[in-house]
Amino acid sequence: MSDLIKDLSELRLSYQKGELHEDRVETHPHAQFLIWFNHALEAQLHEPYAMSLATASVQGRPHVRTVLLRGATEAGYDFYTNYDSQKGKDLAENPYAELLFYWQEQERQIRIGGKVVKISEAESTDYYHKRPRDSQIAAHISTPQSGVIESREVLQQRFEQLQSQVEGKSELNKPVFWGGYRLEPDYYEFWQGRPNRLHDRLSYEKQQDVWMLKRLMP
């Protein structure tokens, strides 16, 4: 294997695209989230709704992966998955998690932490039926998620078999092992890259139903 990268210490950028001031942000962190999220949408960034989800098992072993934001309100931030996945197992044991949005083109990131709860079966079913038909089929055959499968060909065969079986059916039932979660936030951190690594970091922490705003060291 060729060693293309010999020294990473010289790889760096100087961030120049923005700044973040305490007196220019919203008092409620969700309102500030919406401002930045809408900026990302308006800039047509690639999948600005993609977010890293960090969970940990009851033993404290962390797991992180990318999922898609599918709902955002003051009550929380929604995503969907297989309940039997690693993330589902982690959340059953330890219901606290963190989300990370990173928008490289705007030199911004947002961390959101809190407790995760399952959303209602009705909400999960409603979203499931909004998904493309092939995505609905994939949810049925991709179980147990993260389980070992013999080959890509076996997975494709399962998909095509179910696809054939449900052809002509107007609606598929949502799998019982699939549905949504909502992270109910109690912590936010907004990060804006600045020159000389003097980055702006503002945190909001919920204390007795009041959001406390603080500036953090970069």
Side-chain angles (χ1 to χ4, degrees):
M1 183 182 295
S2 61
D3 204 359
L4 296 179
I5 301 176
K6 297 186 180 296
D7 185 2
L8 299 178
S9 63
E10 296 303 317
L11 299 180
R12 60 174 55 84
L13 296 173
S14 179
Y15 301 121
Q16 308 281 344
K17 294 185 177 179
E19 54 189 18
L20 194 57
H21 295 277
E22 294 91 327
D23 58 353
R24 300 181 197 170
V25 296
E26 299 294 325
T27 56
H28 196 291
H30 179 67
Q32 185 62 37
F33 170 85
L34 290 179
I35 290 172
W36 274 21
F37 187 72
N38 284 324
H39 287 171
L41 289 175
E42 291 162 4
Q44 298 184 328
L45 304 188
H46 180 67
E47 290 193 318
Y49 44 84
M51 57 189 185
S52 298
L53 167 67
T55 60
S57 68
V58 71
Q59 293 83 15
R61 186 178 182 102
H63 301 98
V64 64
R65 76 291 284 165
T66 301
V67 299
L68 301 181
L69 178 68
R70 286 298 180 239
T73 67
E74 286 188 18
Y77 300 85
D78 299 351
F79 59 94
Y80 292 81
T81 189
N82 187 311
Y83 292 142
D84 297 328
S85 64
Q86 184 63 59
K87 61 185 91 62
K89 293 175 183 176
D90 283 354
L91 292 170
E93 297 175 342
N94 173 13
Y96 292 91
E98 209 169 87
L99 306 174
L100 174 69
F101 295 86
Y102 176 53
W103 299 312
Q104 178 180 352
E105 298 89 342
Q106 296 174 328
E107 299 172 353
R108 288 174 171 174
Q109 71 176 18
I110 305 174
R111 291 171 52 203
I112 308 175
K115 187 175 182 179
V116 180
V117 299
K118 284 184 178 179
I119 68 173
S120 71
E121 187 71 7
E123 288 176 283
S124 291
T125 299
D126 181 62
Y127 173 70
Y128 177 80
H129 288 132
K130 291 178 181 178
R131 304 177 87 211
R133 178 75 163 207
D134 285 352
S135 295
Q136 295 180 31
I137 292 171
H140 272 276
I141 61 102
S142 300
T143 190
Q145 193 178 71
S146 305
V148 175
I149 191 167
E150 300 91 316
S151 66
R152 172 75 190 190
E153 289 71 25
V154 171
L155 181 65
Q156 189 68 35
Q157 288 169 9
R158 289 186 184 181
F159 180 85
E160 292 173 357
Q161 182 179 24
L162 184 55
Q163 194 177 44
S164 176
Q165 289 174 1
V166 301
E167 187 176 359
K169 288 188 177 181
S170 60
E171 188 172 88
L172 289 180
N173 292 328
K174 182 187 75 65
V176 295
F177 51 78
W178 188 95
Y181 290 95
R182 177 169 297 140
L183 184 141
E184 299 175 336
D186 57 22
Y187 181 84
Y188 291 74
E189 183 192 310
F190 293 82
W191 179 96
Q192 177 72 62
R194 296 295 304 278
N196 304 314
R197 292 298 187 267
L198 298 179
H199 308 309
D200 286 329
R201 294 175 62 193
L202 298 183
S203 73
Y204 294 78
E205 191 166 1
K206 199 170 192 179
Q207 298 179 2
Q208 297 180 344
D209 294 326
V210 176
W211 288 102
M212 307 299 294
L213 175 64
K214 299 177 183 177
R215 175 171 288 271
L216 306 178
M217 290 285 286

